[in-house]
Amino acid sequence: MTPLHFSYYSAFVITITGLSLHQTHLISTLLCLESMMLSLYIALSMWPIQLQTSSFMLTPMLMLSFSACEAGTGLSLLVASSRTHGSDHLQNLNLLQC
């Protein structure tokens, strides 16, 4: 395993651990998801360079656009939940209360 691969894998694992351990605020959960998507984007961007092909260039751009849509949706949910519930604590967000 090259140091480049190790850094991608370790960044992904660290963000998964952060996602599982820091579930108190919605913003920290969204930041962990964004860093996970960023590490996947960097790994997918470097993959065609390492294989010296140009056929996989669409995949990182597609993933980046999905990541941008996910970030926009997450931030709009954060704003909506903080307006209705008063904070971004995940314990206050009960899906059974409508």
Side-chain angles (χ1 to χ4, degrees):
M1 179 182 295
T2 64
L4 192 63
H5 287 105
F6 181 71
S7 64
Y8 299 148
Y9 293 143
S10 63
F12 190 75
V13 167
I14 287 171
T15 55
I16 286 179
T17 352
L19 185 64
S20 64
L21 294 178
H22 299 289
Q23 292 183 349
T24 55
H25 294 280
L26 183 60
I27 191 73
S28 64
T29 307
L30 289 174
L31 281 173
C32 287
L33 283 174
E34 283 302 313
S35 61
M36 218 164 42
M37 292 297 280
L38 183 63
S39 67
L40 283 175
Y41 171 73
I42 292 172
L44 280 176
S45 296
M46 290 297 166
W47 188 31
I49 294 171
Q50 290 175 352
L51 294 178
Q52 292 157 352
T53 61
S54 63
S55 61
F56 298 114
M57 290 297 176
L58 183 63
T59 309
M61 288 300 152
L62 187 64
M63 188 178 158
L64 189 64
S65 63
F66 283 140
S67 170
C69 293
E70 180 257 334
T73 306
L75 286 176
S76 66
L77 284 173
L78 176 70
V79 168
S81 67
S82 66
R83 283 184 181 173
T84 57
H85 296 289
S87 69
D88 68 335
H89 290 279
L90 289 177
Q91 294 171 348
N92 294 342
L93 301 177
N94 190 357
L95 293 177
L96 298 177
Q97 296 174 350
C98 292

